[in-house]
Amino acid sequence: MPGEGVPLRVYDTSSGEVRQVSPGPQARLYVCGITPYDATHLGHAATYVTFDVLQRVWRDNGSTVHYVQNVTDVDDPLLERAERDGVDWRDLAARETALFREDMTALAVLPPDEYVSVVDSVPDIAADVAKLLDSGHAYRVPVAAGDGAGEDIYFDVSADDRFGEVSGWSRDQMLAVYAERGGDPDRPGKRDPLDPLLWRAARAGEPSWDGGPLGKGRPGWHAECTTIALRSLGMGFDVQGGGTDLIFPHHEMSAVQAEGLTGEWPFAQVYVHQAMVGLDGEKMSKSRGNLVLVSRLRHDGRDPMAVRLALLARSYRSDWAWTEALLTDAEARLDRWRRAVSRPTGPDATATVAALRERLADDLDTPGALTVVDGWVDQQLATGGSVPAGDGVPAAGDLGTALDDDAPALVARAVDALLGVQLLPQP
């Protein structure tokens, strides 16, 4: 596209400030992936669309992007769902991972360079846990009689004086949610209720792997992302992404475990978090069962580009609730945009593309970016008059009043490249 990209500024959870992200020639992005025991819902989709836009802004600025996403293909929720449904947990994980990727492709989410399976990473994770034991950052807790043999291994949060810096939470805030977010604060034998599990010793009926000096078992949740990010991206990568429900404990624990392994800080330069998407007054989640599934919307014939537009119409930093009206509005917007770019000529779009870049670089202001495109579309479809300036929309004079044969195609390319919304038929 003509013109130049604008350096990205995003809100960093750790510092509580909007900061410029200044990657080198290669930008490094890690976004926590799914636990594949159910289909992709719109809360997932909002997260991955947000970080898709982020990497598109980087690419527009001339950076290559090394994007890594894990797949938690062994974990308690997956095992429980497989047992409930009478299926092999490996088959369930493979099926739901494939469906997730189909949903992301339909939503035009650029795929990560690496999808890293936890199952495939077990030897590396076990090696890192053994290293934490040797350095005194971890300790063993015997498995209770009747649960099996062996020892669970926990990270000692008291061994790291940076614990709490990612979230900025108080100890009371942490304890209030730790149990419901996968922690086991009441486990006998732990040094601190907040110590996270690194390695779960083998239990009857559960999958396990040879952990060498750890004994047979499987990784804890946070340990997987520590190891995968370090192996794939290295310490101090540019952006750690995920939902706000991962700020604590997941991103907090992953970071201090990484420091325990490397002696370096920070784990990530910037932490970016997608707010929660709700339905009927509650967070949309698999555990609650209040899901709007991307695959169901696709099956019902809803245009994935309209679904993507509906997600982009809300700020990534604000909680919001899905309604049918949002999708209906997005479908109407998509139709107008497509009609506008299908015309053979239109108002000069140079200022529109520049304003679109500015909005996205300003903390991923996707609602503002949509408004910018609306401004050009309004002028294109208008039979006369001009579009009033304001709310990020360039004034009519800034958009240009002379017709340009290249303008509709330029707008379509910019919307596709930066917003990921495909307006023209795909080859």
Side-chain angles (χ1 to χ4, degrees), residues 279-358:
L279 181 71
D280 300 327
E282 292 187 312
K283 183 187 82 168
M284 197 178 296
S285 68
K286 293 176 181 179
S287 60
R288 289 183 171 91
N290 60 338
L291 305 178
V292 178
L293 303 179
V294 173
S295 55
R296 173 54 59 186
L297 293 173
R298 292 168 50 210
H299 180 268
D300 291 344
R302 312 306 283 268
D303 192 322
M305 292 298 94
V307 176
R308 184 170 176 120
L309 268 179
L311 297 173
L312 294 171
R314 296 293 179 271
S315 168
Y316 82 93
R317 286 176 55 189
S318 300
D319 292 344
W320 57 280
W322 176 265
T323 66
E324 176 66 21
L326 293 177
L327 183 53
T328 301
D329 290 345
E331 289 169 333
R333 176 179 252 155
L334 181 63
D335 177 68
R336 295 182 74 256
W337 287 15
R338 284 178 169 161
R339 284 191 287 116
V341 301
S342 68
R343 293 186 175 185
T345 188
D348 180 81
T350 305
T352 297
V353 173
L356 178 59
R357 283 173 160 142
E358 286 283 355

Side-chain angles (χ1 to χ4, degrees), residues 73-254:
D73 51 357
V74 59
D75 199 23
D76 290 341
L78 172 66
L79 301 177
E80 292 163 3
R81 181 64 57 88
E83 182 177 6
R84 187 200 73 177
D85 295 348
V87 298
D88 188 284
W89 63 271
R90 289 159 290 202
D91 293 338
L92 176 61
R95 183 186 74 205
E96 296 302 337
T97 299
L99 179 57
F100 168 73
R101 294 182 182 180
E102 290 173 12
D103 287 339
M104 293 300 101
T105 299
L107 291 173
V109 171
L110 301 174
D113 300 279
E114 296 183 60
Y115 279 114
V116 186
S117 157
V118 170
V119 169
D120 292 342
S121 304
V122 168
D124 288 338
I125 298 169
D128 281 350
V129 173
K131 184 176 178 180
L132 289 171
L133 270 174
D134 290 343
S135 66
H137 286 85
Y139 61 95
R140 300 175 184 269
V141 177
V143 173
D147 286 344
E151 297 168 310
D152 296 331
I153 299 173
Y154 285 85
F155 184 82
D156 186 350
V157 296
S158 69
D160 197 301
D161 59 9
R162 292 188 181 273
F163 179 63
E165 286 191 14
V166 171
S167 65
W169 287 21
S170 69
R171 182 177 176 85
D172 287 344
Q173 288 174 305
M174 294 176 179
L175 288 169
V177 302
Y178 192 44
E180 68 185 56
R181 294 188 178 181
D184 56 354
D186 299 325
R187 167 69 193 275
K190 291 174 58 174
R191 295 176 182 173
D192 188 300
L194 293 173
D195 288 348
L197 179 69
L198 294 171
W199 184 262
R200 177 176 168 85
R203 266 73 162 181
E206 295 183 8
S208 61
W209 290 264
D210 182 4
L214 310 180
K216 289 184 65 82
R218 58 185 170 93
W221 175 31
H222 316 304
E224 69 187 66
C225 284
T226 300
T227 292
I228 292 170
L230 287 178
R231 291 293 197 283
S232 296
L233 297 174
M235 197 71 174
F237 58 92
D238 294 290
V239 170
Q240 162 80 77
T244 53
D245 55 344
L246 298 183
I247 296 171
F248 182 86
H250 189 53
H251 289 167
E252 189 74 66
M253 300 303 188
S254 298

